Amino acid sequence: MEFSSKLLERAVNEMSQLPGIGKRTALRLVLYMLRQPKEQTLALSEALQSMRNEVKFCKSCHNISDVELCEICSNPKRNETIICVVEDVRDVMAIENTSSFRGLYHVLGGKISPMDGIGPHDLNIESLVHKVKAGHVSELIFALSSTMEGDTTNFYIYKQIKDCNITTSTIARGISVGDELEYADEITLGRSITNRIPFESSIKL
Amino acid sequence: MEFSSKLLERAVNEMSQLPGIGKRTALRLVLYMLRQPKEQTLALSEALQSMRNEVKFCKSCHNISDVELCEICSNPKRNETIICVVEDVRDVMAIENTSSFRGLYHVLGGKISPMDGIGPHDLNIESLVHKVKAGHVSELIFALSSTMEGDTTNFYIYKQIKDCNITTSTIARGISVGDELEYADEITLGRSITNRIPFESSIKL
């Protein structure tokens, strides 16, 4: 791609470093900015810079936060003995949206994935094990994605805390609400039968 | 969407102002930036700002440029009597890539589209008509997209310069190279027969 301006070329190149944004999309976005008022581009670039420079990670759960201890961890109404282990900040947001969990979180920052060069020491696992061993935790809920990497990560953590005499659980796998059985995959359908729940408890929900 | 950080929220909101980028995509991009070195975000935000503040439009053809008169307009090897009228900077790049045009361009900056509130005075039409009336132009090639708005824009310009005694042409519409006839739409196929060209001139290409 030949550019008539070095400034344009640099902006397109930087923009296309982002995942899922190729050169053509980057060019479309950058040309759109040129048609909008200068203030919009200024606001975007300032927001990105101050976010990148000033954002903190909660020292307890590693969630993104503006202060040292995030809002969830510092909320006295939440049950600090139950910890939900998630991969990512987005998973905290997704679970918070359901309003069905009143404990705390622990954000690992990814999952163990040797193929991508991510080992246990690249994740926030040590601080979790430390928290459990300190004895303040009664239950650990594993809420990682149901993939080979997620299962590996769950098991790696489980091995390290299994002697700590706490409850460990994992979120239920089964047919999504509203889904039809004939389109469900075999493994999910099989698990949903093996792990069936009393009918009375399903109608309470 | 509930955010655990105001800085994150602001960055996501600004990012999702861009066309085709929703809140979820913006969050994914912003979280990606947080995992990359700070320098990358800094480079992006600086490139966007300096592009938006310093980029110029060529005073002759309105193409994006770093200097007053763009590289194409200031190139003495190009034929300045033939002007190719295009909608957008991207069209200049696309035609330049083909290496089949050695004249100059004129970037309109869009097409007449009353539905989107874009009239002739929002586009760089006046300067084009002025250029033609000054008498330096021998041929005008309309290379706008083949839509109702493109045709309207072509015709609007044509009406203003038709007494100037210059050649006007429009890029050929026809079956794309490599396409099969049975999948072509009727209008394109019809035009490609009406505007057939001597076989000898097609095999030269």
Side-chain angles (χ1 to χ4, degrees), chain A residues 134-189:
Chain A
H136 304 305
V137 180
S138 65
E139 183 179 355
L140 217 54
I141 306 173
F142 291 113
L144 273 68
S145 36
S146 184
T147 56
M148 177 85 87
E149 289 85 7
D151 291 346
T152 308
T153 313
N154 286 342
F155 192 65
Y156 180 88
I157 298 171
Y158 175 75
K159 271 201 309 183
Q160 301 201 38
I161 52 113
K162 69 172 190 284
D163 302 326
C164 290
N165 193 27
I166 62 164
T167 312
T168 48
S169 60
T170 174
I171 52 170
R173 311 293 179 187
I175 308 295
S176 292
V177 177
D179 262 13
E180 299 201 39
L181 286 205
E182 60 176 318
Y183 301 116
D185 68 291
E186 285 169 29
I187 299 176
T188 305
L189 190 55

Side-chain angles (χ1 to χ4, degrees), chain A:
Chain A
M1 219 182 250
E2 289 263 342
F3 293 90
S4 57
S5 153
K6 292 276 169 230
L7 292 162
L8 182 73
E9 183 169 11
R10 201 176 121 215
V12 168
N13 284 341
E14 290 295 338
M15 202 78 184
S16 61
Q17 305 276 316
L18 297 175
I21 298 200
K23 289 257 164 137
R24 268 167 194 270
T25 309
L27 179 62
R28 190 170 55 83
L29 296 176
V30 164
L31 290 179
Y32 172 84
M33 286 182 210
L34 280 178
R35 287 195 302 272
Q36 300 304 114
K38 280 190 183 181
E39 291 69 34
Q40 187 173 329
T41 307
L42 195 74
L44 168 64
S45 78
E46 275 181 358
L48 292 180
Q49 263 193 51
S50 63
M51 186 269 311
R52 189 64 189 84
N53 286 329
E54 293 162 34
V55 107
K56 292 184 185 69
F57 292 91
C58 171
K59 66 176 179 181
S60 173
C61 73
H62 308 283
N63 189 8
I64 286 177
S65 168
D66 291 338
V67 284
E68 281 239 312
L69 200 65
C70 77
E71 277 179 26
I72 297 174
C73 288
S74 59
N75 184 346
K77 288 190 184 147
R78 302 196 66 129
N79 184 347
E80 57 177 20
T81 65
I82 305 182
I83 291 183
C84 180
V85 181
V86 294
E87 257 172 72
D88 198 280
V89 175
R90 279 176 290 181
D91 303 329
V92 175
M93 290 168 69
I95 298 176
E96 281 296 284
N97 267 342
T98 68
S99 310
S100 61
F101 179 64
R102 300 298 298 164
L104 304 185
Y105 295 91
H106 188 93
V107 180
L108 295 177
K111 42 197 175 174
I112 298 172
S113 170
M115 294 282 280
D116 304 314
I118 302 172
H121 299 291
D122 301 312
L123 307 175
N124 303 315
I125 291 180
E126 212 172 310
S127 58
L128 175 65
V129 173
H130 193 262
K131 228 185 269 180
V132 172
K133 288 194 172 156
H136 304 305
V137 180
S138 65
E139 183 179 355
L140 217 54
I141 306 173
F142 291 113
L144 273 68
S145 36
S146 184
T147 56
M148 177 85 87
E149 289 85 7
D151 291 346
T152 308
T153 313
N154 286 342
F155 192 65
Y156 180 88
I157 298 171
Y158 175 75
K159 271 201 309 183
Q160 301 201 38
I161 52 113
K162 69 172 190 284
D163 302 326
C164 290
N165 193 27
I166 62 164
T167 312
T168 48
S169 60
T170 174
I171 52 170
R173 311 293 179 187
I175 308 295
S176 292
V177 177
D179 262 13
E180 299 201 39
L181 286 205
E182 60 176 318
Y183 301 116
D185 68 291
E186 285 169 29
I187 299 176
T188 305
L189 190 55
R191 283 203 196 179
S192 77
I193 291 175
T194 312
N195 303 321
R196 61 194 177 276
I197 54 166
F199 184 68
E200 292 83 0
S201 73
S202 80
I203 52 176
K204 272 188 221 152
L205 298 177

